[in-house]
Amino acid sequence: MIDLSATARDLVQTEEHFETIDPILDLSERSMLAIGAEHHLRDINIERWRWDQPEILMSWLPFRRETHIGKNIRVLVKVEQANAFRVYFESNAWYDERRGPGMLIRYWAHFPAGDIPVDGAQEAAQDEQRWINKYIQDAYGHVADAKEVTLDQSIIIWSDGSTESIGAVMSIPPVDPEQ
Amino acid sequence: MAQDVYYRYFAHPSEIAQLRRERMVLTSNPNRGFKTWYTTTRFDDPALAQQLLTLSYVPEYRVGPIRADEMPDFDVHGQRIVQPLGNMPGGAIEVCTTQPAYLFGCYNFPNNDWEPL
């Protein structure tokens, strides 16, 4: 498993590059939108910098209006050294089950899809776009709407923030494009 | 009926400096209009906050509780459940605003500084 956790040094470096990381996220967004259009994904939402993280996230609902089932692709940027970055790609799928007030059971699956170095975010362009397209395509492949996705992790989350792991597994069925 | 309260978790050094200097809660990230996220959950364990908010960093600071009627409008999005990311489950409630929240304090104009209370 790739360790994506940020150290104090990472945070300072990220702060120094808040604005220079954005062009990498621009390239990623372009690629995400292309995937969304190609595969007719529904209810797409794209956002950046959630909780100040150098990331861009595209999520969608594989079944229209069923907000308890979701899928996403994330691109996360880490600063390796001045003007040298590493870009990580992943996808996730989940199913939420509410059991009364204050109790949520979440089933989910996580799929790392690789990482690439990018030198000079401001200059990131054609070559990087090709690789970013490839890795985002790979990330989508793990959670493609046309395939069944097995959610191999599960947890109970109480409204006070306490949790309990459970060993349950479930699947998201493939989406009928006519649905 | 009790109103919601909100907490913000963060670790960036410039944000804690800004909070101490201005008693103002707002991200130090200028991208995308200073979007600032909060949650309704009070975590005492920063590692658990990291898991349920799907943060790539372990938060060093928790600010709150801030009562709902003292919060700015959630002009980016209201309450929603955090998605799983980075092999972390998510599952906490999060909201987002571009507006600052101001904390209680007594500012001394002649001294140009906050009074210790």
Side-chain angles (χ1 to χ4, degrees), chain B residues 1-108:
Chain B
M1 184 173 168
Q3 61 175 296
D4 285 335
V5 294
Y6 292 90
Y7 299 87
R8 175 159 168 80
Y9 299 83
F10 61 96
H12 287 101
S14 58
E15 184 166 342
I16 188 64
Q18 172 181 263
L19 181 60
R20 287 177 175 139
R21 189 174 61 244
E22 302 180 44
R23 298 285 203 277
M24 180 179 79
V25 187
L26 185 71
T27 179
S28 53
N29 179 0
N31 283 300
R32 307 286 145 175
F34 291 93
K35 288 181 183 174
T36 306
W37 274 262
Y38 295 83
T39 181
T40 53
T41 306
R42 179 188 184 96
F43 295 104
D44 291 320
D45 177 358
L48 186 58
Q50 180 183 25
Q51 289 286 312
L52 298 195
L53 296 170
T54 62
L55 306 177
S56 56
Y57 53 88
V58 178
E60 287 190 25
Y61 303 98
R62 177 187 69 210
V63 60
I66 306 175
R67 290 158 42 119
D69 61 5
E70 295 172 357
M71 288 291 291
D73 290 342
F74 302 133
D75 56 357
V76 179
H77 65 76
Q79 292 193 4
R80 70 178 187 192
I81 302 175
V82 175
Q83 301 174 15
L85 288 172
N87 206 29
M88 294 182 280
I93 302 289
E94 66 180 3
V95 298
C96 185
T97 179
T98 58
Q99 304 301 312
Y102 292 98
L103 303 182
F104 178 81
C106 179
Y107 192 76
N108 185 318

Side-chain angles (χ1 to χ4, degrees), chain A:
Chain A
M1 184 60 61
I2 300 168
D3 180 14
L4 294 179
S5 56
T7 64
R9 177 176 158 274
D10 292 335
L11 291 170
V12 171
Q13 288 196 324
T14 301
E15 280 194 327
E16 291 168 354
H17 290 82
F18 269 153
E19 295 186 25
T20 54
I21 286 172
D22 232 27
I24 299 175
L25 304 183
D26 287 339
L27 296 179
S28 303
E29 179 166 354
R30 196 177 305 161
S31 180
M32 286 174 169
L33 288 171
I35 291 270
E38 180 184 351
H39 297 282
H40 307 289
L41 302 183
R42 302 159 173 177
D43 301 302
I44 287 177
N45 182 49
I46 293 182
E47 65 181 348
R48 303 182 186 197
W49 296 103
R50 198 185 59 91
W51 290 89
D52 307 317
Q53 300 177 94
E55 69 176 22
I56 184 167
L57 174 68
M58 178 176 80
S59 56
W60 67 96
L61 303 178
F63 298 93
R64 191 175 297 279
R65 289 187 294 275
E66 295 204 32
T67 57
H68 56 294
I69 301 174
K71 295 179 178 178
N72 65 35
I73 296 172
R74 176 169 79 157
V75 176
L76 177 72
V77 180
K78 289 189 81 171
V79 183
E80 292 198 316
Q81 50 186 292
N83 224 26
F85 307 88
R86 185 159 289 275
V87 184
Y88 296 85
F89 303 85
E90 66 173 66
S91 51
N92 304 273
W94 69 95
Y95 177 93
D96 286 342
E97 183 181 336
R98 287 212 172 271
R99 292 260 184 96
M103 180 184 178
L104 175 76
I105 302 179
R106 168 159 287 177
Y107 304 85
W108 90 97
H110 167 69
F111 304 98
D115 56 272
I116 54 169
V118 172
D119 291 327
Q122 296 288 7
E123 294 78 36
Q126 292 298 330
D127 198 39
E128 282 78 7
Q129 183 75 72
R130 190 162 49 88
W131 287 106
I132 287 170
N133 290 348
K134 177 204 177 298
Y135 279 95
I136 288 180
Q137 191 72 250
D138 289 351
Y140 177 74
H142 291 294
V143 295
D145 283 358
K147 64 180 279 191
E148 180 168 323
V149 180
T150 299
L151 309 178
D152 58 353
Q153 304 191 72
S154 52
I155 191 171
I156 297 175
I157 303 166
W158 300 92
S159 57
D160 65 358
S162 57
T163 61
E164 180 184 337
S165 287
I166 53 175
V169 174
M170 72 172 303
S171 296
I172 297 178
V175 176
D176 176 358
E178 300 301 315
Q179 191 181 26

